[in-house]
Structure formats: C-alpha cells, structure tokens
Amino acid sequence: MVASYIGISSLNSSCFPPRPCFAKRKLFAVSAAMSDDPISDWIMSEGNATQITRTSPIGGGCINNARRYDTDAGSFFVKTNRGIGPSMFEGEALGLGAMYETRTIRVPRPFKVGPLPTGGSYIIMEFIEFGASRGNQSVLGRKLAEMHKAGKSEKGFGFDVDNTIGSTPQINTWTSDWIEFYGKHRLGYQLKLALDQYGDSTIYQKGKRLVKNMAPLFQNIVIEPCLLHGDLWSGNISSDKNGEPVILDPACYYGHNEAEFGMSWCAGFGGSFYNAYFEVMPKQPGFEKRREIYLLYHYLNHYNLFGSSYRSSAMSIIDDYLLMLGV
C-alpha cells in the first residue's frame, strides 16, 4: 500500500542468518506481564544487549512510528502504533516469518510483538542496512518467483490470521477455491467498504456483477496457493548493502501468484523483472486478461483509504471487464 513505512540494517551480513526459533504463531503471544518499557526490556534481555547507545526516528510512514535502536549487540528496527493492539503487528510478524522460512528472498527477521503499557503495540525486528538502490530487477523477479514456488499451503487460500493492507482489515479465512476467496475476501470486502463508507452503490453493484461473472478469466489454468507478500510496491522493495533484494512491510496470504502484481502500477517492475520471474514460474494462459482484476483490489483499497481520486481507476477496470465478459 502506497502509504506504508520505509526503513530498516542488520546484525548479520549473511542474507539468511540462523532461523528464528519463534516463527510459529503461538510464540508471538504478547507478554503476560507489562513493564514500563517492554521494548528496551526485550532488547536488554533476549536481544542480548547490555547497553542501548542511541535511538533515532526513521521517517516515511503515516500509519506507524518507526525507530532504530543501536546497541552493543547490533541494531534493531522497532515500529509502534499507539492506537492499535498487537494483532496488526502479529499478522505482520507471521507474514515475515513465513517468507523468511522459504529461504529465498531476504526479509527482516521478526523478533517480538507486544502491547505498550499506555495503549497500542510494538514490533521488534532485524534492522537491515539498505544499499544505495533498489537492486537488480531480474534478481528481484527470480527470487520472488522462488518464494512463490517454495511457499505452498495445504490449507487452501488464505492465512492463519487476518491482517491488514495498509490500515484496512484483510480477511484471510481459509477457502478451497481461489475464485471464491478472491471474490469474497478481496473484491467483495472492498466493494462493501466503499458502499458503507461513501454510499457508492454504483461501484458496489457493478463490482458485485463482475465478481459473480469473473470465472471465465480463470479457465484452463491450475491455481495453486502460493505465499504472497501481498503489498509489493516500490516503498516495500529495497536492497541490502550487498545488492541483494529485500522486501518488507507485507500483507501476506496464500493466493494465486499473479495477485502479487496487483500493486505493479506503482512498483516499477520492468521487462527484466517479468522475464526472470516467468523463467521460474511460467506465465499461464490468459495472464494479460487477468492483470487488471488484481489491480482492482488495490485501487479499491486506495479509494477506501484515500478518497475519490482512485475511484475512476477502479470504476474503469470494472466497466472494461463487464464489457469484455458481456454481462
């Protein structure tokens, strides 16, 4: 989502440090006992630091506050939100952990999620020192495809917890059928939000008609649940100091791999990215016809978050598909 935080550098120069021992959901449970400063307490205990030498703000976000904590044991990246409980950051941590476990593309390791004593929540993660550029597009494409290929689910489409896309709730109820999942929990949810928030019955009714009739777009292909970052735009893509791509701030779920390109309108993916991606995950028949059905989810989300400037893009996609499908 375009209005996310930008920031993160590392305790370890290796792209894949040892696996965290707490990648399972239950170990992200919030602390039972509340201290006055749970962030510093964790860093000075489980983070193996004996001294915090400096903390400094990291700009770029409008949803959360971000700070870098420098210590004698290395640096940590910390996000806080004074208005939202730990569930949002738990979803992010589980997504980062799932991507990390594929051992394919670099992501910041999540360490700890918990509540703040005065309300709100925090997440502590690895601080990755960014390089001077976003890195090589073809390497990014290949590694992203490798993540999609490695990250599979036997539960179907969805995720173990609901999470957020920006600040919008993202429902991830496990569903066996992709068209049902995408129609109900992605497009349908956003359309209902637009109706409730703006009274926009036009986009709601036309959008629901599209959802009801979009199955022909998915004919003659096999859709397997792949682990998706879920919010892959330019602000969530960087590279480390060795030039290896890094992706961050996810809205993870298991879905059709093509849905990963839903934010491509502000991700800057070029030909070398797609060529490298499709060498690992071959392009499926009808890819071009489906591209905008995945853009639509994110345009609707931006409409719901930021207002009417995104409505025309969403409405245009809906109208074009209704014409194409003859409904």
Side-chain angles (χ1 to χ4, degrees):
M1 197 218 66
V2 172
S4 294
Y5 80 90
I6 304 173
I8 341 185
S9 250
S10 173
L11 303 170
N12 193 314
S13 60
S14 168
C15 282
F16 294 105
R19 293 173 185 255
C21 63
F22 40 72
K24 301 299 183 184
R25 179 185 177 188
K26 63 181 180 180
L27 294 175
F28 280 116
V30 299
S31 304
M34 185 81 67
S35 75
D36 291 336
D37 187 357
I39 297 169
S40 295
D41 287 352
W42 186 92
I43 289 172
M44 298 289 286
S45 57
E46 294 178 68
N48 297 318
T50 61
Q51 182 181 13
I52 297 173
T53 57
R54 184 180 66 168
T55 69
S56 51
I58 295 174
C62 68
I63 297 172
N64 305 302
N65 294 314
R67 297 189 73 86
R68 171 178 176 168
Y69 281 66
D70 293 318
T71 80
D72 57 353
S75 297
F76 299 87
F77 179 73
V78 178
K79 288 198 295 185
T80 58
N81 190 303
R82 297 290 176 176
I84 300 176
S87 60
M88 179 182 72
F89 287 143
E90 183 188 33
E92 178 177 353
L94 289 168
L96 289 170
M99 293 192 298
Y100 184 90
E101 285 296 309
T102 68
R103 315 292 284 181
T104 52
I105 190 167
R106 192 169 188 193
V107 300
R109 266 190 305 173
F111 293 130
K112 179 67 176 176
V113 171
L116 294 169
T118 56
S121 55
Y122 68 90
I123 180 172
I124 305 171
M125 64 183 81
E126 174 188 10
F127 191 94
I128 298 175
E129 187 170 354
F130 288 159
S133 71
R134 290 177 61 207
N136 185 293
Q137 286 249 323
S138 62
V139 176
L140 173 63
R142 176 174 55 81
K143 286 185 173 290
L144 184 66
E146 289 171 353
M147 185 184 84
H148 290 167
K149 194 169 186 177
K152 300 296 185 183
S153 168
E154 296 180 355
K155 298 179 181 179
F157 302 96
F159 202 55
D160 282 334
V161 298
D162 296 339
N163 48 27
T164 57
I165 181 77
S167 59
T168 307
Q170 184 166 257
I171 308 304
N172 294 317
T173 304
W174 290 109
T175 308
S176 60
D177 181 77
W178 170 248
I179 299 173
E180 178 186 349
F181 176 88
Y182 191 68
K184 180 178 181 180
H185 298 307
R186 294 298 179 262
L187 298 183
Y189 186 91
Q190 294 285 348
L191 291 166
K192 183 61 164 56
L193 197 58
L195 179 65
D196 293 343
Q197 187 165 247
Y198 303 122
D200 195 337
S201 58
T202 300
I203 202 166
Y204 176 78
Q205 291 168 4
K206 287 189 171 184
K208 291 292 282 185
R209 200 159 89 232
L210 171 58
V211 168
K212 185 179 179 180
N213 292 280
M214 67 182 182
L217 299 172
F218 301 91
Q219 288 179 340
N220 303 318
I221 61 170
V222 176
I223 302 176
E224 296 182 352
C226 298
L227 179 62
L228 307 181
H229 174 282
D231 192 13
L232 203 60
W233 68 286
S234 59
N236 291 342
I237 303 167
S238 190
S239 63
D240 64 19
K241 59 187 178 182
N242 297 317
E244 289 296 310
V246 179
I247 57 176
L248 53 140
D249 203 10
C252 286
Y253 65 99
Y254 290 88
H256 186 196
N257 67 300
E258 294 175 7
E260 193 77 282
F261 309 132
M263 283 291 288
S264 60
W265 48 282
C266 56
F269 298 144
S272 61
F273 167 86
Y274 286 108
N275 289 339
Y277 180 89
F278 288 130
E279 284 181 5
V280 178
M281 292 283 287
K283 184 188 295 187
Q284 295 178 299
F287 170 77
E288 297 297 339
K289 289 184 178 180
R290 288 185 298 276
R291 287 190 74 159
E292 294 205 344
I293 203 74
Y294 293 130
L295 303 186
L296 179 57
Y297 172 57
H298 294 277
Y299 276 123
L300 286 169
N301 186 46
H302 279 67
Y303 174 35
N304 285 317
L305 286 173
F306 305 120
S308 60
S309 60
Y310 292 95
R311 183 185 186 278
S312 61
S313 295
M315 195 74 253
S316 177
I317 291 173
I318 292 171
D319 284 338
D320 286 348
Y321 273 117
L322 293 178
L323 182 63
M324 177 195 302
L325 294 167
V327 295

